[in-house]
Structures are given as structure tokens and as C-alpha cells.
Amino acid sequence: MARPLPFHINLAGPTAAGKTAVALAIAQEHGCEIISVDSALVYRGMDIGTAKPSASELAAVPHHLINIRDPLQAYSAAEFVKEAQALILEISARGRLPLLVGGTMLYFKALADGIDPMPSANAEVRAQIELEAQRLGWPAMHAQLAQVDAATAARLAPADSQRIQRALEVYRLSGLPMSHFHVRTNADAATSPSAPLIALEPQDRAWLHARIAQRFDLMLEQGLVDEVKALRARGDLHPNLPSMRCVGYRQVWEALDGVSPTAELRDKGIFATRQLAKRQITWLRSMAARRVVACDAPDALAQVLRAVRNLVESRA
């Protein structure tokens, strides 16, 4: 087994659970540096739709793995693990506490349990899958995936063409499900005292749904549509890129393309965000040894700060 990483704290939760405010409070109390665990925050020029921390928030506490990729580039779980491990070591060496914060649960799980290299993209196999999808439709391809990789199919929507295609490609190239490569189970890692996981989870799903709606409305007011228009104006981006498939961006792009009515943009964006939150909560509940704090409790912040103090003091 690989040598354990230095002590660090993980703070995870679904979108709109209030992670940013909680993370800043923890960081200011304990001298942390924040490592983002978010597959959308890595992209430059995507600020409004990703609810990226503001310039003042980024300046208040050192942040890492934010604005490190152009939207044209992909970013993988394997890249995250490599970069996060290096940052945890560097931050600890500076005498500061690494605080990993985000909602991309695959990244948390890959960092805790390890990740195996999976087959590289294969143009021929991808083309075959694309042709099948044109004939059968992506829901049928999703059903096909469920036959060979039930775990991956369960966390993908039947219309998530990009991820379904990649999962089928991996299976056809290796004969193994993508879930085999994503996580190399390590029973010791998940409960390692060097990496406690605090999970912000709502007791009342309606509370989270209301926050999601409020936040999406705010994004529209702040200029989400104009942000997507600026990205489209570059001329080199397209809706099948991982960056442009992020929740919110995909719905705005489709509305601008006329794929869906502009009048339905708000409802579609809120619905997609709620579905994302549902998947995030499902992932969280599958993660061992997490410490749950109800993010809709009036004293949620106080509970988290108390838990972190206990964790830090137990390491002293």
C-alpha cells in the first residue's frame, strides 16, 4: 500500500450546500490552504455558471486547482489525484493544513482509494459507438452499458452521450468496466485518520431545491447567458466538450442553438442542477466513515467548526 498522505481534511457536499462559506471559515480559523475538488472550477472563463469563489474569496485564502485549464482541454480524475497529492505534500511542508473542498465525488473517492490507468481514447471504437447511437439512440446505448457496467450506468443519465460513449469504449477496449479503473479498492484508505471526510448533507431535500433555484436565478441575473455567448464566440468550443457539458452551460448552449426553447432555460437548468445534487448525495452515502453535518441545520457552520477543531486537536 502507498505511504499515507499527511493529515488533511475533506469537505464534500452537493451543489448549493454552502461549501464555499464553510470552507473559508475553516481555513481562516486553522490556517488552511484550499484544494478545489471540482471538475468545473478547473476551467478558466467559466465563473458564473460554476459558482466559482469571488476574487475577494480567492484572495482571502490560498486556493489551488481553480482556473488551471482552458475549456478546450479535458481534465481527468487521474490528473486530479496526481496534482492533489503533490499539493497536500507541499502545503503540509509549509506547516499549513490542506483542506480539500468540492462536490466531484469521483475525485474524492479516487484520491482515497487509488485509481488505475484506463485505456486511452480510440478513434475507431468511438466511431463505431457513435454510429450505433445514431441508429439506436443514447438511451439504448445506456441500457447496453448497464449490461456490462451496472455501477457506471447507475450514475449516468440515459442521455449523457459523452460519458456513456467513454464507458462503452473502455469496456470494449479492455473487457473491464470503467468502475474497475476508477477506483482501486483499498480498505485501509477510506478510514485513514489522515483524511477525515466531513459531508454536508441536507435533512430536507426541499431546502436544497430552493437554494438551487435561488442560485440559478442569481446566475442568470449575473449574466450566465452572456458568459456562454462569450465562450461560443471563441469559435473553437463545442457542446460535446466536458467543459461545455457542465450543468448550466449545456442548457444555455442548447437554448442559444435553438435545441430547446429559451423560455424553458430556467426550468431546465434548475432540473439539471437538482439531478446533479441527487447524484452527488448518492455518491456521498456510499463513502465510508464520513462525518455527516446537516447543511440545513441552523448551527451547521458551528457543527463543522467544532468537528474540525476536534480533529485538529486529536492530531496535536
Side-chain angles (χ1 to χ4, degrees):
M1 185 177 71
R3 181 171 62 88
L5 289 166
F7 176 68
H8 57 282
I9 291 176
N10 299 308
L11 176 68
T15 185
K19 297 184 294 296
T20 297
V22 172
L24 289 171
I26 296 171
Q28 289 166 352
E29 182 170 319
H30 296 279
C32 300
E33 294 189 27
I34 293 174
I35 300 173
S36 172
V37 188
D38 190 299
S39 59
L41 293 187
V42 299
Y43 294 115
R44 294 185 289 271
M46 295 174 58
D47 303 331
I48 298 171
T50 61
K52 194 171 288 177
S54 66
S56 60
E57 290 169 334
L58 291 172
V61 174
H63 284 71
H64 304 275
L65 302 188
I66 293 178
N67 295 329
I68 60 169
R69 291 289 187 278
D70 183 86
L72 194 59
Q73 300 172 300
Y75 188 70
S76 69
E79 289 174 296
F80 167 79
V81 168
K82 181 179 179 180
E83 295 181 13
Q85 287 175 335
L87 283 165
I88 290 168
L89 292 168
E90 292 168 13
I91 293 167
S92 296
R94 288 195 285 270
R96 298 174 69 84
L97 175 61
L99 174 61
L100 283 77
V101 183
T104 302
M105 306 310 167
L106 171 62
Y107 288 7
F108 277 115
K109 198 163 181 65
L111 182 63
D113 295 348
I115 188 165
D116 284 331
M118 64 178 69
S120 300
N122 182 290
E124 184 178 345
V125 172
R126 285 197 170 191
Q128 291 173 349
I129 295 169
E130 191 72 41
L131 285 172
E132 287 180 45
Q134 289 175 9
R135 188 176 75 253
L136 303 173
W138 284 108
M141 302 304 287
H142 180 266
Q144 187 181 125
L145 176 64
Q147 297 296 314
V148 296
D149 187 355
T152 299
R155 63 181 179 82
L156 298 182
D160 193 345
S161 57
Q162 180 202 20
R163 292 181 176 87
I164 294 169
Q165 182 184 54
R166 177 56 179 154
L168 285 170
E169 176 189 33
V170 167
Y171 179 78
R172 293 184 185 185
L173 287 169
S174 68
L176 294 169
M178 180 175 273
S179 50
H180 167 87
F181 295 98
H182 269 161
V183 177
R184 181 177 60 245
T185 302
N186 183 329
D188 297 325
T191 56
S192 169
S194 70
L197 171 64
I198 298 173
L200 295 175
E201 301 176 28
Q203 295 174 304
D204 180 4
R205 199 69 65 93
W207 176 90
L208 187 64
H209 290 172
R211 294 214 3 140
I212 286 170
Q214 290 165 6
R215 192 168 76 165
F216 196 77
D217 284 339
L218 180 60
M219 289 175 178
L220 291 174
E221 290 173 16
Q222 291 175 330
L224 174 59
V225 173
D226 287 338
E227 184 172 70
V228 178
K229 285 180 179 178
L231 291 165
R232 286 163 60 97
R234 287 178 35 156
D236 60 346
L237 302 178
H238 56 82
N240 290 324
L241 287 168
S243 60
M244 294 300 100
R245 295 181 68 81
C246 290
V247 168
Y249 292 88
R250 179 178 183 177
Q251 286 71 37
V252 174
W253 193 293
E254 289 177 349
L256 292 172
D257 269 351
V259 174
S260 61
T262 303
E264 296 178 6
L265 170 58
R266 178 183 181 272
D267 289 344
K268 284 182 176 292
I270 291 171
F271 177 76
T273 309
R274 286 169 60 165
Q275 291 299 107
L276 169 63
K278 181 179 179 181
R279 293 193 298 272
Q280 289 169 315
I281 292 169
T282 299
W283 266 94
L284 266 176
R285 289 176 176 168
S286 73
M287 297 171 80
R290 77 193 194 284
R291 302 162 190 250
V292 178
V293 172
C295 53
D296 49 346
D299 64 339
L301 177 57
Q303 286 188 53
V304 173
L305 291 176
R306 186 163 55 247
V308 173
R309 284 187 209 113
N310 291 338
L311 289 165
V312 171
E313 288 170 6
S314 70
R315 301 286 298 180

